[in-house]
């Protein structure tokens, strides 16, 4: 061993001991004839004191930043202590040292506030990983991993490895494929998730399965997506939705406790998908703050259950004579608390904000709910005070609040209201980094209709079960639709899934469902998705076959491990929590991968390029 | 929850409780008006008693093997108890039941001694996994996993995930490659091991890393190899070989304790590679028994350190006039204990055994060391008794032993002696399944010479460091060889590696090395392996670069997780310990993978087939 102690453990109680440390030179400071070196390793920093007697040695072998140094000496009490670090009461009076390896000058500083930009840090990721900020992230990741495993182990879950070289069954996302040399002309696929395998394990009786496992999706990478990502993947047999919710909200609470020392004692809130869309404009609402959406006008099809409210004029307002609202499909309002005194400039800036292409609104109507009970708006000439009040009431606004009203097409307007709500929440400091709010979103629609392909697609995935009450609707109706634009009238449009998403601070961190376990229902699902019987058998024959031999009721969930870690670590980017991430083109710039391969490899695999 | 208890937990103390169980019907036995059902789940088997009152229900919904059943009733004490199972004192007096799912008749019985052959069991792996024998294997695998993680965690190792989509750098085994759609014409490779990444993590200061991780090698599959396999992969910084040996023999001892309840208190034996080859004829000797090889004659080049012994006649015997030995490069003897009375038939059978093509010997000479002190051999006419005794002494044979002598070319003969030793050990019951003997094999040669390619190849891998004393030999000599057949005279032939293998009962379960951490030495290694500077930079530029920024001394080890589990489980086959294994053609016969892919996939990936 090159050391007797780490750089993070020596304290006043080791004074006078002779010890050996090894680590990296963080800083070198000369004071006259004396040299101080901060020596860093994974565990901390210890100050080395190199006295006058070592000067000739130091002259012969000058130290530099990031040199690997081994130093032996006596632990001594410091004259000026540093309360900020664990070893701040002592220093090492060096008797001898050895340079274990030199270092070139790093291309950026190894500090929390480094001077290195993103590109250079990714190219030299092995240096970036030395920075304390990055190290803390990977330590947090390991702590989450450990906590999850402990909890799942204590609850009788078994880690069972599923294969990585499987069969390509593209349905939804694109597969990465792997040519098979031993089976020329054939390809493996890398798993998008171990979904069918964990279901087979339930058929096999394994009952409680988990895995922290890499998954692969060949998708065009939006910011903060990775072609390979990690899931905490779980499945249970003989359970209903309620059992899954209980088991896995406790998992997340356990992680809060183990990793963040947070006692999350309150019940986890639950919300239906419809309510989430209705009140928050998206299916993963951040419920750390209010500002719920007031629905003043909305089209027929979004919320079948809310048909009773439908009308062509503003709810509670009636005809208004304001063409923008009259002609809009949807009119939504949100009340920003305590902002009734926003200046013209502030409101103009927000108007520009909603007009950006990412949001895509035409404009922003405001109503100031003055503290004296009066109302002032940008549409005063169309709306007398009582009507302004009615709109403000719909958004649940009180005196002192500022109401924003958005109007336009349903989907875009709802999304805009959601974005504006999140933006205002952020600006007002309502989305606190150290507050964690969990939410179950339930009762998703089972299907969406893909108008382009003229077929149903599974909102979750093809193995998700309908609500028990809806199974007969699914079995007893032909999924085919005669007139594509009438799909909302098809019984399938109203089938709800036995599916659930776990949302943390406005991010989906996990999702799952109770699965189909009957062959007939699974076949109906494949048919609904437009698969022929032959195709279903070719792709999923093994699963359909398994359902014939005593498949138990089962369900599960998968958590996005990278995302969960980034939220717990208070970061927007999952990349910060991955040791060797890829960039937005799917490249590892450190390795320079992907890259070309040899002719010999092409020959052996019996493939060739066919570049356009 | 579909159950209140599992099928493995009810005992006499739950008598009179009302409970609900769910599981699979293992057996159905009718006794008059009463029906007994054994209900099975992951945790055990509970006997259900269905009384006369349920007969009409049973008639309406007949049960069958492997049906999924939910049953509610009272726990009652059995009249005839079954001491073999945990629940044997009770049974469930069923009040109501529900068939949760039916089952077709399985294609083989779900029992330890199933009637299903290998092929059918692999096709229906989801049913095979229900068998207790297979379940026990996966449970053992999980227990090893858990034990290893706990030990490594307690010793400050961090699980850090390394990427799966990396760069193809074929050197040794073949890579599986993955075409990149986003980078047309370029490919990722799947990792053969996380070797370079764990080294980078050491450069980054992570100090103690581990991962239980899938690795991939596209090799022609010998029996019991898998294209994807799992490693317990570990690396440490600031260590020397001795530190690694200590840390990881304790890991294996901990696994013995946790998984098999074995206190492995004795020291782990150590042996140099030369000694292993000399005394056992292979580099992973089974040291549960003796029967060491007596080296009577051997060629110059195998053991440079044993040159002093070299002679052209049999050691201790001299000229013998027996052409088979006189003309042989190598003559080796082993003493089989207590077998001097083997019959002619027994010896003939063993002679045939060594003449099989897999062993490839011309014949087998025997010497019986009779209990009366006399000797009797198949070569009596060439060897008087004193010379027979000299041969027997070389094999360390005593009275009552049977000595076998093998002669021929060095490599084949040594391998044959090793195989014969193992075979006789097995036949004599000396390789006890419940005895576990660990061994470190050390001091491997750093290089082998590939005469076909006319270059050095790394025996371990290109990142393995030479012994400290041999570094200067490596740096100061040109690796090029003028005359290929004189490679033994090159200084590189004698360089020993800082490498170690852990051997358990004659199987290599792990191997590793202290790594190179100096750029100059690493470049010399790449050059020795015949890589040009450009090629080295293209393939491993990131690693050479990393070594310039303060790389610490480091080393590590990787254990073959599948193999380790199979040995602990007393099986010859790793496939029995993998949930979803592939066959010898790399196929998953359950999924029917690999398979063809769609034209759309070819188009998107910009590749096409080029079948011969």
């Amino acid at each position: 061993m090159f050391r007797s102690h780490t750089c993070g453990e020596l304290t006043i109680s080791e004074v006078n001991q002779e010890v050996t440390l090894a680590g990296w030179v963080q800083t070198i400071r000369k004071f006259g004839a004396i040299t101080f070196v901060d020596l860093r390793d994974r565990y901390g920093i210890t100050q080395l004191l190199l006295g006058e007697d070592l000067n000739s040695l130091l002259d012969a072998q000058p130290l530099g930043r990031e040199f690997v140094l081994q130093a032996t000496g006596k632990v001594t009490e410091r004259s000026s202590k540093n309360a900020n670090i664990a070893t701040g009461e002592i220093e090492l009076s060096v008797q001898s040292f050895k340079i274990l390896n030199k270092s070139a000058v790093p291309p950026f500083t190894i500090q929390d506030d480094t001077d290195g930009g993103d590109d250079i840090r990714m190219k030299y990721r092995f240096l970036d990983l030395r920075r304390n900020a990055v190290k803390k992230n990977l330590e947090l990741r390991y702590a989450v991993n450990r906590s999850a495993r402990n909890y799942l182990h204590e609850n009788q879950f078994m880690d069972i490895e599923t294969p990585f070289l499987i069969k390509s069954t593209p349905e939804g996302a694109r597969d990465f494929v792997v040519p098979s040399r031993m089976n020329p002309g054939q390809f493996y696929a890398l798993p998008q998730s171990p979904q069918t395998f964990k279901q087979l394990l339930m058929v096999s009786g394994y009952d409680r399965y988990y895995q922290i496992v890499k998954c692969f999706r060949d998708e065009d990478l939006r910011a903060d997506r990775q072609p390979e990502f990690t899931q905490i993947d779980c499945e249970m047999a003989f359970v209903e939705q309620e059992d899954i919710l209980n088991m896995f909200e406790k998992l997340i609470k356990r992680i809060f406790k183990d990793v963040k020392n947070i006692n999350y004692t309150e019940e986890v809130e639950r919300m239906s998908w419809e309510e989430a869309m209705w009140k928050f404009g998206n299916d993963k609402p951040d419920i750390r703050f209010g500002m719920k959406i007031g629905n003043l006008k909305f089209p027929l099809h979004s919320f079948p259950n809310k048909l009773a409210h439908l009308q062509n004029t503003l709810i509670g307002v009636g005809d208004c004579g304001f063409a923008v609202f009259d002609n809009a499909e949807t009119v939504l309002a949100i009340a920003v608390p305590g902002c009734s005194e926003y200046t013209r400039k502030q409101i103009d800036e927000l108007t520009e904000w909603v007009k950006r292409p990412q949001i895509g609104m035409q404009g922003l109507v405001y109503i100031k709910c003055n503290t004296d009970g009066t109302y002032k708006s940008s549409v005063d000439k169309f709306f007398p005070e009582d009507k302004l009040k009615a709109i403000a009431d719909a958004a649940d606004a009180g005196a002192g609040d500022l109401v924003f009203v958005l109007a336009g097409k349903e989907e875009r307007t709802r999304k805009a209201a959601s974005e504006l709500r999140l933006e205002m929440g952020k600006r007002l400091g309502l989305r606190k980094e150290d507050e964690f709010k969990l939410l179950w979103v339930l009762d998703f629609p089972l299907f969406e209709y893909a108008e382009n392909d003229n077929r149903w697609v599974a909102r979750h995935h093809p193995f998700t079960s309908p609500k028990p009450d809806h199974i007969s609707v699914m079995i007893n109706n032909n999924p085919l639709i005669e007139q594509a634009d009438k799909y909302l009238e098809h019984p399938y449009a109203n089938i709800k899934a036995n599916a659930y998403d776990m949302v943390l601070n406005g991010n989906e961190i996990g999702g799952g469902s109770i699965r189909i376990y009957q062959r007939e229902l699974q076949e109906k699902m494949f048919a609904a998705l437009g698969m022929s019987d032959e195709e279903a058998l070719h792709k999923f024959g093994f699963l359909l076959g398994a359902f014939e031999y005593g498949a138990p009721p089962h369900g599960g969930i998968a958590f996005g491990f990278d995302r969960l870690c980034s939220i717990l670590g208070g970061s927007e980017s999952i990349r910060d929590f991955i040791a060797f991430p890829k960039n937005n083109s799917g490249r590892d710039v450190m390795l320079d991968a992907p890259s070309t391969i040899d002719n010999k490899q092409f020959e052996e695999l019996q493939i060739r390029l066919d570049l356009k």
Side-chain angles (χ1 to χ4, degrees), chain A residues 86-115:
Chain A
T87 62
E89 294 194 289
I90 58 91
E91 64 195 2
L92 185 68
S93 294
V94 177
Q95 286 150 1
S96 64
F97 69 87
K98 188 178 169 189
I99 295 172
L100 297 175
N101 215 345
K102 291 183 184 179
S103 173
V105 176
F108 51 86
T109 57
I110 309 298
Q111 287 172 337
D112 282 7
D113 50 345
T114 180
D115 55 358

Side-chain angles (χ1 to χ4, degrees), chain A residues 543-560:
Chain A
L543 189 69
L544 293 171
F547 286 173
E548 289 198 64
Y549 291 97
H554 62 285
I557 195 165
F559 292 94

Side-chain angles (χ1 to χ4, degrees), chain A residues 420-437:
Chain A
L420 182 60
R421 174 183 174 272
L422 291 172
E423 177 68 16
M424 295 314 298
K426 191 164 124 194
R427 291 188 185 193
L428 299 176
L430 303 173
R431 305 177 71 185
K432 299 194 191 92
E433 212 185 80
D434 57 351
E435 188 184 356
F436 294 97
K437 273 284 211 181

